[in-house]
Amino acid sequence: LHLSCPPPAMCEISGVAASQPVSEKQSAAELDLVLQRHQNLQEKLAEEMLGLARSLKTNTLAAQSVIKKDNQTLSHSLKMADQNLEKLKTESERLEQHTQKSVNWLLWAMLIIVCFIFISMILFIRIMPKLK
């Protein structure tokens, strides 16, 4: 026993089959509406993500240029500090040598002058008569 039925529109038994195409049309329309809403939502999200990605790229490029500039400034400062340190070492050595040389002969010269003045004063006091 095999029963076959032509398309649903032709298989109407008591109005049940007639309501099926209408409900299918409604569900299809609702499904299309839901799909359209989801698609619109996805498009908005994609646009927002694209805007955020552009903003992030702009901020990243700005930060990169600032960091490059800071690195250049830092490397220039390090070079200058190294040069100043070398110059300071050289000048410190020169000053140390100069002070060692100067102190020796200057110290002896001052000592001789002080002794000469001391002896001269003693002789001057002994030789000159006291005034009354």
Side-chain angles (χ1 to χ4, degrees):
L1 189 64
H2 179 72
L3 295 174
S4 68
C5 183
M10 298 185 169
C11 278
E12 294 182 15
I13 298 184
S14 64
V16 175
S19 66
Q20 223 175 12
V22 173
S23 67
E24 285 179 10
K25 286 180 185 178
Q26 280 181 341
S27 65
E30 288 175 0
L31 185 62
D32 286 343
L33 186 63
V34 168
L35 289 174
Q36 185 66 31
R37 285 183 192 159
H38 281 282
Q39 185 177 1
N40 289 342
L41 210 109
Q42 285 179 351
E43 287 175 2
K44 286 180 184 178
L45 287 174
E47 288 174 10
E48 187 176 341
M49 286 175 61
L50 186 61
L52 290 173
R54 285 183 184 143
S55 175
L56 182 63
K57 182 179 179 182
T58 304
N59 290 342
T60 303
L61 291 175
Q64 180 184 12
S65 67
V66 168
I67 289 171
K68 281 184 180 179
K69 187 176 179 182
D70 287 349
N71 283 341
Q72 289 175 352
T73 304
L74 185 61
S75 65
H76 179 68
S77 296
L78 286 173
K79 287 178 186 176
M80 293 296 289
D82 287 341
Q83 288 176 355
N84 287 343
L85 183 62
E86 290 298 321
K87 287 180 183 179
L88 184 63
K89 285 180 182 178
T90 304
E91 292 300 319
S92 294
E93 289 172 1
R94 281 186 54 214
L95 182 61
E96 187 176 328
Q97 290 172 359
H98 181 69
T99 54
Q100 287 176 355
K101 288 180 186 176
S102 298
V103 169
N104 285 341
W105 73 266
L106 185 62
L107 182 65
W108 286 108
M110 294 295 260
L111 191 58
I112 291 171
I113 291 172
V114 168
C115 289
F116 176 74
I117 291 174
F118 181 71
I119 294 171
S120 298
M121 288 304 290
I122 290 176
L123 289 176
F124 180 74
I125 291 172
R126 296 268 181 199
I127 293 174
M128 292 300 279
K130 289 184 182 177
L131 293 175
K132 290 187 179 186

